[in-house]
Amino acid sequence: MKYFINLKKHGLIIKYYFTKDKEFSKIPENILMVLQDAMLFESYTDARLFAENNSFYFDGKQIEAFPMVVNLFEDPTLDIRGIREDSPQKLFFNEEDVRNAILNGDDSFHNSLVVDHDGNVKTFKRDNNYEINDFAVINGEVFQARNGYIGLEASEDKNFVNSEYLRLFEAWGNYILSYGETQSANDVYDSNVDPDEIKKEISSFVNKNV
């Protein structure tokens, strides 16, 4: 797993990457091509610290790294993008993995369900928001503390567990097919999603590309 600094302009329509020559180049159709000249980092934290402690310019204007308020359709913004050529330790996870994550979470904190880069489902305590970006899949919904979305009772709600599983697994498939770009589960959820079809897509992609 490697990381590079990504620039978005006009929302999500046009993306650029920061090169070893300290310039921004448009991301090619084959994302793996960025590995040839991108400034690469070994961890999300390393990439973010570099972005926070250096100045960046695009179209003659300085870009503020990770501003609190931004107009996505006017201001270029920076983020950190992961990229991988290898397979995760686990290609698939199942509904029971999601159930166990919900069961073993701590409902005294605000939580989100996430999937790490190795395919493990976890709860993430929302006390450090930037670190949540270093996951393969993020469920953008925040479960408020002591509201019953985490713990034994929630884990026994079959409809709730199933819907969270489908949401996370569909996004996980998109993560694999994008060579490691973090996915927001709340952006992709389809109640008619077929996990078996996603497994087939993942297996086919990995067999051809990894």
Side-chain angles (χ1 to χ4, degrees):
M1 193 80 188
K2 302 291 184 183
Y3 298 83
F4 63 88
I5 296 169
N6 192 36
L7 180 143
K8 300 177 182 179
K9 188 180 181 185
H10 304 310
L12 303 177
I13 300 173
I14 303 175
K15 296 182 182 181
Y16 299 80
Y17 66 99
F18 194 63
T19 70
K20 297 173 184 176
D21 295 329
K22 299 184 178 181
E23 298 176 342
F24 285 103
S25 290
K26 190 176 292 187
I27 290 181
E29 185 174 344
N30 180 358
I31 186 64
L32 295 181
M33 296 295 292
V34 307
L35 293 172
Q36 296 179 3
D37 65 341
M39 182 177 289
L40 297 173
F41 300 86
E42 294 297 321
S43 71
Y44 176 89
T45 299
D46 288 346
R48 186 177 178 101
L49 287 174
F50 183 92
E52 290 176 335
N53 291 286
N54 287 273
S55 298
F56 298 85
Y57 295 86
F58 184 79
D59 285 346
K61 297 181 180 179
Q62 185 170 359
I63 305 166
E64 182 183 356
F66 314 110
M68 295 297 293
V69 179
V70 64
N71 184 331
L72 288 177
F73 291 94
E74 294 183 6
D75 303 326
T77 60
L78 297 180
D79 67 3
I80 308 302
R81 199 243 202 243
I83 185 168
R84 67 185 310 159
E85 294 181 276
D86 60 340
S87 297
Q89 290 182 7
K90 293 170 56 178
L91 269 187
F92 312 124
F93 55 88
N94 56 38
E95 196 166 325
E96 191 63 24
D97 294 321
V98 176
R99 187 188 318 280
N100 286 332
I102 294 171
L103 172 63
N104 295 311
D106 186 346
D107 193 38
S108 63
F109 290 87
H110 302 323
N111 285 278
S112 287
L113 285 170
V114 298
V115 184
D116 69 18
H117 296 290
D118 288 319
N120 301 301
V121 183
K122 304 177 177 181
T123 53
F124 179 84
K125 297 175 184 177
R126 295 300 293 261
D127 55 353
N128 190 332
N129 283 329
Y130 94 77
E131 287 185 359
I132 198 172
N133 295 302
D134 189 18
F135 285 99
V137 175
I138 305 163
N139 186 342
E141 184 177 3
V142 179
F143 300 137
Q144 299 297 310
R146 300 179 179 85
N147 269 8
Y149 288 101
I150 297 295
L152 176 61
E153 185 174 350
S155 74
E156 293 177 341
D157 185 334
K158 293 182 179 179
N159 290 333
F160 172 64
V161 172
N162 178 255
S163 66
E164 293 307 303
Y165 165 62
L166 295 178
R167 189 194 310 274
L168 293 170
F169 197 64
E170 185 178 12
W172 173 252
N174 291 337
Y175 165 82
I176 297 294
L177 271 56
S178 68
Y179 291 100
E181 183 173 22
T182 295
Q183 303 291 319
S184 180
N186 58 321
D187 289 342
V188 300
Y189 178 58
D190 177 358
S191 60
N192 296 314
V193 65
D194 184 349
D196 289 333
E197 288 300 316
I198 295 175
K199 289 178 182 179
K200 290 178 183 178
E201 288 185 22
I202 291 174
S203 296
S204 176
F205 180 84
V206 170
N207 289 336
K208 291 178 181 178
N209 298 284
V210 177

